[in-house]
Amino acid sequence: MVKVEFLGPMSEFESISVNASNLQELKEILSQKPDMQKWLSISAVAVNDCIVDDISFKLKSGDKVMLLPPVCGG
Amino acid sequence: MLSLVKGHLDTNAIFSLWQQKVQELNFGALSIFVGIVRAEDSKEFSAKESNMEESNQVSALSFEIYEPLLAKWFESWQQRAKKDGAMLFMAHSIGKVKVGQSSYMSGITSSQRKIALSLYSEFVEDFKANAPIWKYDIVGNQKIYAKSRSKPIAHSGLLG
């Protein structure tokens, strides 16, 4: 199982645990959640606190995936 | 040196701490940026949501930070600064900061002014673009995500 957490304004979504062996599979699972699509197209993905840019990135049990919507510090 | 503080920043205390560090390093230049929350109408209401009879004026901002990633982001900049013979300081608020108070300070110190000044703009721009911090306007008793002022982090949209 992979734990998925949603940060900032996405924290309206509760964190979930899913079976996904790569980010493509996670994308398919998350796309089915209502109201999620508008965020997926503008959010970055971190696996175990590293930003990932490859949709085929492999996931293993115990990985922590974070979704990071647009930011504005300062 | 990265400090995350609940509520507003005590800018004098933070400046003293950084100045002391600069003295220890025997550096000759310290360039400081301070961000202060200002009174303005929130831009985050759509025309439909906006209630013309009530003020949309922002009384405070509120911040959420994902600390593990911010610490990594800052450390990579610190390493880069170190190669150039400079050192970075940054302090940021978590939670609510009222109008007139400070929510952000950053500083770059180096032995002479040129390095500190040349790194400055790129550091602050990358901070705005990639530091995992989320801002909200506080208007009345509402907390509204500052969506129109926010920028997607590098590599966003991978799952879109």
Side-chain angles (χ1 to χ4, degrees), chain A residues 72, chain B residues 40-50 56 58 61 135-139 142-150:
Chain A
C72 183
Chain B
E40 61 177 345
D41 281 341
S42 177
K43 299 173 186 75
E44 306 302 335
F45 290 96
S46 65
K48 196 173 134 196
E49 289 166 334
S50 179
N56 286 339
V58 172
L61 297 177
K135 181 184 283 177
Y136 302 82
D137 286 346
I138 304 293
V139 178
Q142 294 187 78
K143 180 179 166 184
I144 308 138
Y145 172 49
K147 192 174 181 184
S148 73
R149 287 119 79 199
S150 298

Side-chain angles (χ1 to χ4, degrees), chain A residues 15-35:
Chain A
S15 60
I16 51 170
S17 291
V18 298
N19 277 313
S21 61
N22 58 44
L23 285 178
Q24 179 64 41
E25 285 182 27
L26 179 64
K27 173 181 170 172
E28 283 153 23
I29 293 166
L30 293 180
S31 300
Q32 289 165 13
K33 286 176 81 73
D35 301 326

